Amino acid sequence: MEVIRQDILLGKLTPGQKLVVADLKEHYQVGASPIREALVQLSWKKYVKFAPQKGCWVAPVSVEELTDLFNAHQLISHELLKKAIVQGDEAWELNILTSYHKLSRINPTSDDADLSEWEQRHGDFHIAILSGSNSPVLLDLYLDIYEQLKRYRHIWLSHTRESENRYNDDGEHEALMKAVLDRDIEHAQAILNNHSKNAVSSVSPYLELYHDN
């Protein structure tokens, strides 16, 4: 499943593209059963969609879905962030510092950047902040939404973009880290709001490329 998932994230399998088991079997050099199982699992993660009697496609993308995902992401993040800032301990603070340092070591605008590794470190940083909330149910909901947002983030991060058009956080992650460690709930939430708005406005123009799929 992971290889197909990565090919969807990296744009080798594009939004709206039909997925034919025979073609995937030949491409990945595996049997039909593992391919079918992988597609079912990816449908649970909403990376692919099934249509009765018609087949399977890479899940489409849209500005409407992106906005809805970020709105839900923001609501849950705000509650987790508030809980984490109130309850987080010294180990939580150290984990935030460590994860930020690892994230800052990769520049996603660089032509030789490992974008998959950046994505992993980016997720680790945000999870490190929210993990202090001690709210596993809410955190699971957050992770489900974050997984869906990865498809959109990779469209933005793509190496096919000119470097100046790729993601650049303009210091937002560092500012978020400092606000959280300062236990400033209002400032941290404001930064998170701006972070989400910038993401939506930056990704949205690229979704037109898939409008006809």
Side-chain angles (χ1 to χ4, degrees), residues 45-47 65 69 143-153:
K45 293 180 177 291
K46 301 186 179 178
Y47 275 53
E65 182 184 59
L69 284 169
L143 292 172
D144 285 344
I145 295 170
Y146 188 88
E147 183 67 29
Q148 294 178 59
L149 283 171
K150 283 183 180 180
R151 295 192 303 125
Y152 288 91
R153 191 173 286 107

Side-chain angles (χ1 to χ4, degrees), residues 100 125 129 169-182 184 187-192 194:
Y100 172 74
F125 170 70
I129 290 174
D169 78 352
D170 291 323
E172 283 183 340
H173 288 118
E174 182 178 8
L176 178 59
M177 174 192 67
K178 290 179 177 178
V180 169
L181 295 179
D182 286 342
D184 189 334
H187 188 205
Q189 288 181 335
I191 293 169
L192 205 57
N194 192 59

Side-chain angles (χ1 to χ4, degrees), residues 11 16 31 37 53 55 69 80 107 122 129 133 167 174 206-207 210:
E37 182 179 349
Q53 310 300 320
L69 284 169
L80 287 169
N107 177 8
H122 177 262
I129 290 174
S133 62
Y167 175 76
E174 182 178 8
Y206 297 113
L207 301 184
Y210 308 102

Side-chain angles (χ1 to χ4, degrees), residues 161-174:
R161 312 274 175 247
E162 296 296 329
S163 59
E164 63 269 19
N165 293 327
R166 288 190 219 134
Y167 175 76
N168 189 320
D169 78 352
D170 291 323
E172 283 183 340
H173 288 118
E174 182 178 8

Side-chain angles (χ1 to χ4, degrees), residues 1 4 19-22 24-25 30-44 48 50 56:
M1 180 185 77
I4 300 177
L19 300 172
V20 180
V21 171
L24 297 175
K25 176 182 173 183
V30 295
S33 292
I35 293 291
R36 291 192 185 97
E37 182 179 349
L39 294 178
V40 169
Q41 291 182 28
L42 287 169
S43 72
W44 296 342
V48 303
F50 284 97
C56 177

Side-chain angles (χ1 to χ4, degrees), residues 35-184:
I35 293 291
R36 291 192 185 97
E37 182 179 349
L39 294 178
V40 169
Q41 291 182 28
L42 287 169
S43 72
W44 296 342
K45 293 180 177 291
K46 301 186 179 178
Y47 275 53
V48 303
K49 289 185 176 291
F50 284 97
Q53 310 300 320
K54 293 183 179 180
C56 177
W57 287 262
V58 177
V61 292
S62 69
V63 173
E64 292 77 16
E65 182 184 59
L66 174 65
T67 303
D68 196 30
L69 284 169
F70 262 114
N71 286 340
H73 174 271
Q74 190 170 307
L75 285 171
I76 295 172
S77 295
H78 273 213
E79 185 62 26
L80 287 169
L81 183 61
K82 181 171 65 175
K83 287 176 177 289
I85 289 175
V86 171
Q87 301 178 38
D89 57 15
E90 187 175 324
W92 168 74
E93 292 181 348
L94 181 59
N95 192 26
I96 292 171
L97 287 166
T98 300
S99 61
Y100 172 74
H101 175 71
K102 290 180 178 179
L103 175 62
S104 67
R105 301 279 291 180
I106 298 179
N107 177 8
T109 66
S110 173
D111 287 334
D112 62 353
D114 184 336
L115 298 181
S116 293
E117 181 62 25
W118 182 90
E119 173 62 42
Q120 181 63 50
R121 296 185 187 193
H122 177 262
D124 289 345
F125 170 70
H126 282 277
I127 292 167
I129 290 174
L130 303 180
S131 63
S133 62
N134 297 314
S135 182
V137 173
L138 271 181
L139 194 58
D140 279 347
L141 289 173
Y142 167 86
L143 292 172
D144 285 344
I145 295 170
Y146 188 88
E147 183 67 29
Q148 294 178 59
L149 283 171
K150 283 183 180 180
R151 295 192 303 125
Y152 288 91
R153 191 173 286 107
H154 272 264
I155 289 172
W156 187 13
L157 284 169
S158 174
H159 275 310
T160 62
R161 312 274 175 247
E162 296 296 329
S163 59
E164 63 269 19
N165 293 327
R166 288 190 219 134
Y167 175 76
N168 189 320
D169 78 352
D170 291 323
E172 283 183 340
H173 288 118
E174 182 178 8
L176 178 59
M177 174 192 67
K178 290 179 177 178
V180 169
L181 295 179
D182 286 342
R183 309 283 175 154
D184 189 334

